């Protein structure tokens, strides 16, 4: 906007009024996170106009677990904002049906104010099993190198396996502010078979890397999706994940994947279990592939559109 970040609400108000002057709108959608400046701006814009706004909260930083002091602070800010905002917004749009609705109930948000519309949509023409791909990694991580991704937990789990003379080929795909800290951790733990791929060109390359892995691990402490687990499951790659975001409802331990609870030794045991039992890995991979079929892109996008059409109609604006 050209102004300091804290003035973002007034930027939204000014730009929004210019758009409102050009045409009629039925709904304002605000993607809310961090300091929730977008949501405050949306409220200022729609106040007194009769046009409802919906607050989209894909996930709350630091919930269900905080990885840093900053995340604990932002989680507190989110709770204060939600308690203030729910009376003013037409609805709070969340992208999973267990984790976020549970938090909203704790914060006093009525059920009728919660709009559950998934944001994960998968192109199954890209993300699918690719026969004949060589196995390159025993364990794969895909994501940003940031505190909430639990990278150090994963590295400690692999190190624990290495101490038992089990060599694990680890692939790390991504980059971010913790990149140098991750490299330092790899060296301090003495991990000797780690491949770092900072960036992949296009979704097809991502799908190919999934298919070259024996499993994908998500060790996150908080997530909205995570998308990478669903993409990997679409490729019939078995997934080990913490119970975050959509994984809370999608993944059933021992049925279509494995769950662990942020403990490196528990994760190490789950990794060993899949490495030792190829039949189990294949069964979980195929069950995972079947369970993510509802995330077909056309279906999810249509559901999203119809959800917002219904919300606008309910407020008598269309």
């Amino acid at each position: 906007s050209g102004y300091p970040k804290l003035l973002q609400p007034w930027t939204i108000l000014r730009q929004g009024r210019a758009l409102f002057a050009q045409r009629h709108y039925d709904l304002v959608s605000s993607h809310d996170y961090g300091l929730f400046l977008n949501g405050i701006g949306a409220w200022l814009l729609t106040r007194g106009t009769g046009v409802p706004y919906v607050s989209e909260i894909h996930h709350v930083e630091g919930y269900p677990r905080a990885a840093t002091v900053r995340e604990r602070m932002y989680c507190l800010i989110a709770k204060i904002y939600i308690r203030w905002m729910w009376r003013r917004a037409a609805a709070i749009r969340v992208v999973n049906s267990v984790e976020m609705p549970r938090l909203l109930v704790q914060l006093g948000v009525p059920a009728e104010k919660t709009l559950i519309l998934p944001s994960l949509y998968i192109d199954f023409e890209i993300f699918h099993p690719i026969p004949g791909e060589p196995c390159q990694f025993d364990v794969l991580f895909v994501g940003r190198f940031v505190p909430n991704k639990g990278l150090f937990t994963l590295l400690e789990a692999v190190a624990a396996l290495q101490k038992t003379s089990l060599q694990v080929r680890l692939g790390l795909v991504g980059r971010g502010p913790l990149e140098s800290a991750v490299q330092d951790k790899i060296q301090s733990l003495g991990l000797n078979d780690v491949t770092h791929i900072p960036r992949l060109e296009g979704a097809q390359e991502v799908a190919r890397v999934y298919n070259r892995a024996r499993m994908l691990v998500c060790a996150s402490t908080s997530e909205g999706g995570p998308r990478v687990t669903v993409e990997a499951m679409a490729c019939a790659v078995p997934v080990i994940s913490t119970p975050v975001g959509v994984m809370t409802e999608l993944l059933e331990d021992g049925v279509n994947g494995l769950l662990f609870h942020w403990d490196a030794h528990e994760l190490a045991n789950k990794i060993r279990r899949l490495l030792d039992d190829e039949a189990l890995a294949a069964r979980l991979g195929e069950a995972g592939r079947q369970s993510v079929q509802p995330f077909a892109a056309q279906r999810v996008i249509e559901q999203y559109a119809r959800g917002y059409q219904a919300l606008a109609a309910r407020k008598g604006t269309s």
Side-chain angles (χ1 to χ4, degrees):
S1 68
Y3 295 97
K5 185 175 181 179
L6 289 177
L7 295 181
Q8 182 71 6
W10 286 269
T11 299
I12 292 171
L13 176 62
R14 187 181 68 255
Q15 299 285 357
R17 281 176 172 171
L19 292 171
F20 271 41
Q22 295 173 19
R23 59 170 293 177
H24 169 74
Y25 291 94
D26 292 323
L27 193 68
V28 173
S29 173
S30 175
H31 185 182
D32 291 341
Y33 58 94
L35 296 176
F36 296 91
L37 302 175
N38 290 348
I40 295 170
W43 170 67
L44 290 172
L45 177 62
T46 61
R47 188 177 52 169
T49 66
V51 178
Y53 82 95
V54 56
S55 173
E56 292 200 0
I57 304 180
H58 290 211
H59 84 290
V60 168
E61 290 185 68
Y63 182 83
R65 292 170 69 96
T68 64
V69 173
R70 175 189 178 277
E71 286 190 358
R72 283 195 287 272
M73 180 183 72
Y74 273 60
C75 186
L76 176 61
I77 291 171
K79 291 177 179 179
I80 294 171
Y81 170 78
I82 291 170
R83 287 192 175 103
W84 171 84
M85 175 271 301
W86 73 259
R87 294 178 177 85
R88 294 162 175 84
I92 301 174
R93 183 258 178 134
V94 297
V95 298
N96 57 67
S97 60
V98 175
E99 184 179 272
M100 278 301 300
R102 181 171 56 213
L103 175 62
L104 295 185
V105 168
Q106 293 172 3
L107 296 175
V109 180
E112 61 270 18
K113 280 291 189 84
T114 301
L115 181 62
I116 301 171
L117 293 173
S119 63
L120 282 170
Y121 53 90
I122 305 298
D123 185 344
F124 291 117
E125 293 186 3
I126 295 176
F127 295 100
H128 59 79
I130 305 175
E133 284 291 331
C135 181
Q136 184 178 3
F137 305 114
D138 296 312
V139 177
L140 179 67
F141 166 90
V142 179
R144 293 192 67 222
F145 287 24
V146 290
N148 72 293
K149 298 298 182 181
L151 266 165
F152 295 141
T153 300
L154 171 58
L155 295 177
E156 289 167 2
V158 173
L161 292 171
Q162 187 172 288
K163 287 179 181 178
T164 66
S165 299
L166 180 64
Q167 294 301 309
V168 176
R169 296 170 297 169
L170 175 62
L172 304 176
V173 178
R175 61 194 314 173
L178 290 183
E179 199 166 336
S180 61
V182 168
Q183 293 299 330
D184 291 343
K185 187 72 170 179
I186 290 170
Q187 292 181 10
S188 68
L189 291 172
L191 300 180
N192 52 28
D193 199 347
V194 181
T195 300
H196 178 211
I197 305 173
R199 191 168 185 268
L200 292 169
E201 295 294 336
Q204 288 87 355
E205 280 300 310
V206 177
R208 196 167 289 119
V209 169
Y210 288 141
N211 275 275
R212 292 175 181 169
R214 296 179 67 180
M215 71 188 76
L216 178 128
V217 170
C218 168
S220 295
T221 53
S222 61
E223 284 282 358
R227 173 174 291 276
V228 296
T229 52
V230 179
E231 290 176 345
M233 292 167 76
C235 296
V237 175
V239 163
I240 304 175
S241 178
T242 50
V244 291
V246 74
M247 291 294 100
T248 306
E249 64 215 58
L250 180 61
L251 210 62
E252 186 176 352
D253 189 55
V255 176
N256 61 348
L258 297 177
L259 290 169
F260 80 102
H261 297 81
W262 301 283
D263 179 77
H265 289 288
E266 183 187 4
L267 175 57
N269 290 334
K270 301 273 182 169
I271 292 172
R272 179 184 286 277
R273 183 179 173 189
L274 289 186
L275 293 177
D276 289 345
D277 193 337
E278 293 185 4
L280 172 64
R283 178 172 63 80
L284 294 181
E286 177 56 24
R289 189 185 70 82
Q290 295 290 341
S291 65
V292 300
Q293 295 308 300
F295 292 101
Q298 183 175 352
R299 174 178 177 176
V300 173
I301 294 170
E302 180 177 350
Q303 182 182 358
Y304 183 31
R306 291 189 182 280
Y308 271 13
Q309 288 171 344
L311 182 60
R314 190 174 76 196
K315 299 302 290 185
T317 62
S318 71

